[in-house]
Amino acid sequence: MSALMQTYARLPVTFSHGEGVYLFDQDGRRYLDGICGLGVNGLGHAHPAVTRAIRAQADKLVHTSNLYRIEAQEQLGARLTALAGMETCFFGNSGAEANEAAIKIARLHGHARQIKKPAIVVLEGAFHGRTLATLSATGNRKIQAGFEPLVAGFIRAPVNDIEALRQIAANNPDVVAFLAEPIQGEGGIYPLDADYLAAVRQLCDQQNWLLMLDEVQSGNGRSGDYFAYQGMDVQPDVVATAKGLGNGVPIGACMARGAAASLMGAGQHGTTYGGNPLVCATALAVIDTITEQQLCANARTMGDLIRTTVMADSAAAARIVDCRGKGLMIGFQLDQDCGQLTAQALAAGLLINVTAGSTIRLLPPLIIDEAQALALANGVARLIADLN
Ligand SMILES: *Cc1c(COP(=O)(O)O)cnc(C)c1O
């Protein structure tokens, strides 16, 4: 315990195994998982298709490096880009790495345009990761403090404010890209307005900026569409995704299309583990399961059910200032800070998360069924109603 750097305030529980939407602790106590490893285990725990893929691939080959062709990586690249409406793909090991690749692509795009100090517009409240470049892109001082000097080349804009973005465009000829989460996650579950995103797309086209979307959390079915932008009728130039793609094996992907698709050349970017046979075979099984079992549609119905059930509880609704989100990316903003709720939920056999101080964040597995969704919603409503 004390040999670990104290980067997390951990809850006092250790899980020994899981099954579907449930986790079991070392004493055999069962918990309904409303956060699924921060949006990672979309197929829940110990999903048979995922376990089978891991076993079968581990039996054959785990890692070779990117010095050689990797069949599963080529298949996954084709599958994922087709799903996303993109053309090319780079696999890393995490969300931050997927965004790093996007940021590097934006800089190449800038230099190709003879812009010596290319800048990327990012949003207030954004979260893009913990590496130096991605924490610099993040719109949260707490995450940046202590790590200055930050990486230069980011310009901050307010959310859903197209006029502010037009002002930035008018005053900053060095801007080459816009990077945002279609639904802000860590920032408190704030979906961008579809009208705003459509206007951003237009502005990007006028200005020759890349529209880059961070779908690390919102992607892979969580929002009720495979990617959240698909429910907003916008096609980005660059997409980063991770979390739900591997259901727990570490994988991230940066996809691009159009001119952005071929900006990265041989030797310009790399990774030792990224896209190895094990993670790619697993991600292929994840994508097959999400699409074959229509889990995007399930995310939509179950998300709506959870939101309406909680809001129908008048004692809980009285404490809720705002109910936000899409699909199974759910935020209930309360009238006070409520970090203590995660421990109270744990005691009640529920795993939930609180983000941005006062927002309960739920990211349940996409496989959740109606009875389980109702149990989660009623449990959360009770916790909110009893909050003092
Ligand atoms: C979690 C997250 C990241 C960072 O992903 P890691 O795998 O932790 O590096 C980046 N962007 C968004 C939107 C996220 O939710």
Side-chain angles (χ1 to χ4, degrees):
M1 190 70 175
S2 56
L4 303 179
M5 290 190 190
Q6 297 298 300
T7 53
Y8 288 95
R10 298 174 198 268
L11 289 166
V13 65
T14 305
F15 299 111
S16 66
H17 64 288
E19 192 186 331
V21 301
Y22 298 108
L23 277 172
F24 297 83
D25 70 15
Q26 290 173 319
D27 300 324
R29 194 159 169 246
R30 191 179 84 164
Y31 300 81
L32 177 54
D33 191 355
I35 191 68
C36 69
L38 286 165
V40 167
N41 299 101
L43 303 183
H45 303 282
H47 191 287
V50 176
T51 305
R52 216 178 303 125
I54 293 173
R55 279 196 187 137
Q57 190 57 50
D59 255 349
K60 287 191 286 189
L61 187 65
V62 170
H63 176 81
T64 56
S65 91
N66 286 296
L67 295 175
Y68 313 102
R69 290 182 63 173
I70 298 171
E71 191 181 10
Q73 188 184 118
E74 291 174 15
Q75 288 170 350
L76 180 62
R79 192 78 209 281
L80 198 59
T81 51
L83 263 174
M86 305 302 283
E87 290 167 25
T88 57
C89 186
F90 176 87
F91 291 105
N93 312 287
S94 67
E97 284 172 89
N99 284 328
E100 284 277 344
I103 292 164
K104 287 177 73 173
I105 288 171
R107 290 200 168 179
L108 287 175
H109 174 65
H111 289 292
R113 291 178 50 196
Q114 313 304 323
I115 295 172
K116 290 200 175 61
K117 293 186 171 178
I120 300 171
V121 179
V122 287
L123 294 181
E124 289 170 1
F127 181 79
H128 297 299
R130 300 285 195 154
T131 63
L132 272 176
T134 58
L135 76 81
S136 302
T138 288
N140 179 344
R141 273 303 297 158
K142 275 193 211 153
I143 285 170
Q144 298 171 336
F147 301 110
E148 298 84 356
L150 300 182
V151 173
F154 295 102
I155 297 175
R156 190 78 46 200
V159 174
N160 286 331
D161 185 343
I162 193 67
E163 275 318 311
L165 198 60
R166 291 197 179 112
Q167 281 298 315
I168 289 172
N171 297 325
N172 298 275
D174 286 349
V175 174
V176 297
F178 172 92
L179 169 66
E181 303 150 86
I183 305 170
Q184 289 189 339
E186 305 295 312
I189 313 289
Y190 287 96
L192 295 185
D193 295 341
D195 290 353
Y196 171 72
L197 208 51
V200 172
R201 176 70 272 178
Q202 255 187 347
L203 190 63
C204 286
D205 290 338
Q206 284 162 13
Q207 302 285 334
N208 195 8
W209 296 354
L210 297 178
L211 174 54
M212 312 202 298
L213 293 180
D214 177 349
E215 293 253 11
V216 169
Q217 191 167 144
S218 54
N220 304 293
R222 180 145 299 282
S223 74
D225 291 282
Y226 197 89
F227 289 106
Y229 61 78
Q230 294 169 327
M232 298 174 171
D233 264 338
V234 161
Q235 187 64 36
D237 303 300
V238 177
V239 180
T241 192
K243 293 197 167 95
L245 180 58
N247 211 62
V249 299
I251 183 168
C254 177
M255 294 179 275
R257 72 178 177 103
S262 50
L263 281 169
M264 285 281 200
Q268 283 190 304
H269 196 48
T271 165
T272 300
Y273 296 123
N276 79 22
L278 183 75
V279 298
C280 289
T282 309
L284 276 165
V286 170
I287 293 177
D288 282 346
T289 308
I290 292 174
T291 50
E292 281 162 19
Q293 302 190 358
Q294 276 140 27
L295 294 179
C296 295
N298 192 59
R300 232 172 292 147
T301 350
M302 292 303 128
D304 289 344
L305 179 64
I306 292 168
R307 271 182 289 270
T308 51
T309 304
V310 171
M311 296 310 286
D313 183 305
S314 53
R319 309 297 303 272
I320 296 171
V321 180
D322 196 13
C323 166
R324 292 185 294 266
K326 283 194 171 167
L328 287 171
M329 223 176 146
I330 302 170
F332 298 108
Q333 186 180 343
L334 304 192
D335 57 4
Q336 64 172 83
D337 279 4
C338 58
Q340 71 272 32
L341 278 184
T342 56
Q344 291 170 10
L346 184 74
L350 289 181
L351 304 179
I352 65 166
N353 176 250
V354 170
T355 191
S358 59
T359 298
I360 296 176
R361 173 170 56 164
L362 303 180
L363 302 169
L366 311 182
I367 53 158
I368 196 167
D369 70 19
E370 194 173 317
Q372 295 159 345
L374 286 173
L376 178 62
N378 288 322
V380 167
R382 211 158 309 125
L383 286 165
I384 297 173
D386 292 345
L387 182 70
N388 46 46

